[in-house]
Amino acid sequence: MLAARGLRASFFVVGEALREHRALAERAHAEGHWIGNHTLTHPRPLGESGVEVREIEAAQAELRELAHPDRLFRPSGAGGDLAPGLLSSAAVESLTAGRFTCVLWNAVPGDWTDAGWVETALDQIAAQEWTLLVLHDVDGACADRLDEFLARVDAEIVQDFPPDCVPIARGAVTRPLDPYLR
């Protein structure tokens, strides 16, 4: 669906899932999609898991040559909330030392639980100047209605991240992280 529209996206993959679906990630990478780290096992929220550094480093090791040069990382939250516990001091130290770019979001339509996610996503996009929308490829999530969403969205879709959604860029903290730390 993305290729048919000439679109490129960013896929943040869970390391364990990559083991089973590596060929799909390799295809996405070859087609120009960006591949990033979304932890090894998807603990929610990451910053309260107690194994943050292992989750980040082990997933990055799984990515190998598929990893974006900026070492893109998206933490796992609890239901899409940008709340305390999303990150921890240990996770921040790992991300900065490893020169990662941490990517957050400003729109999560709940596609994994809500069949009406398309309308929610369109409303979220219309409500702000630049939207970083998170969709999921898990069973029962966005895939069934992705084509409809792409046909209806009235916004330019770009493969980039709004600065407000990047609190760590190539290892440098770019804005306060206190709202995400417990």
Side-chain angles (χ1 to χ4, degrees):
M1 285 181 252
L2 296 172
R5 290 177 168 80
L7 298 175
R8 292 196 175 117
S10 299
F11 293 95
F12 289 87
V13 298
V14 174
E16 285 187 342
L18 182 60
R19 293 173 184 159
E20 183 178 345
H21 303 288
R22 186 164 193 90
L24 184 58
E26 288 172 348
R27 176 181 152 204
H29 182 264
E31 292 177 1
H33 300 288
W34 293 347
I35 309 295
N37 178 336
H38 190 43
T39 72
L40 181 67
T41 66
H42 202 267
R44 292 175 292 182
L46 171 68
E48 296 180 4
S49 71
V51 292
E52 302 89 332
V53 174
R54 183 183 84 73
E55 286 284 331
I56 295 166
E57 291 176 356
Q60 196 67 25
E62 291 289 336
L63 286 171
R64 298 187 303 266
E65 75 283 352
L66 299 177
H68 187 278
D70 284 343
R71 298 173 57 94
L72 301 175
F73 173 78
R74 185 169 71 82
S76 47
D81 291 335
L82 293 173
L86 183 68
L87 294 171
S88 67
S89 295
V92 171
E93 287 176 25
S94 179
L95 294 170
T96 56
R99 301 193 41 81
F100 282 87
T101 294
C102 181
V103 180
L104 302 180
W105 53 90
N106 59 14
V108 181
D111 59 307
W112 69 97
T113 61
D114 181 8
W117 72 265
V118 170
E119 288 74 21
T120 302
L122 294 172
D123 290 346
Q124 290 174 338
I125 291 167
Q128 51 198 349
E129 185 176 331
W130 190 343
T131 303
L132 197 155
L133 182 71
V134 173
L135 298 174
H136 299 79
D137 68 345
V138 296
D139 287 338
C142 83
D144 292 345
R145 295 188 67 197
L146 182 60
D147 195 47
E148 173 192 351
F149 168 74
L150 294 172
R152 292 179 56 194
V153 68
D154 185 24
E156 181 183 11
I157 298 175
V158 297
Q159 188 183 33
D160 203 357
F161 310 117
D164 288 349
C165 293
V166 182
I168 301 172
R170 298 182 187 120
V173 176
T174 61
R175 62 189 177 100
L177 298 172
D178 295 341
Y180 316 116
L181 299 174
R182 181 167 314 272

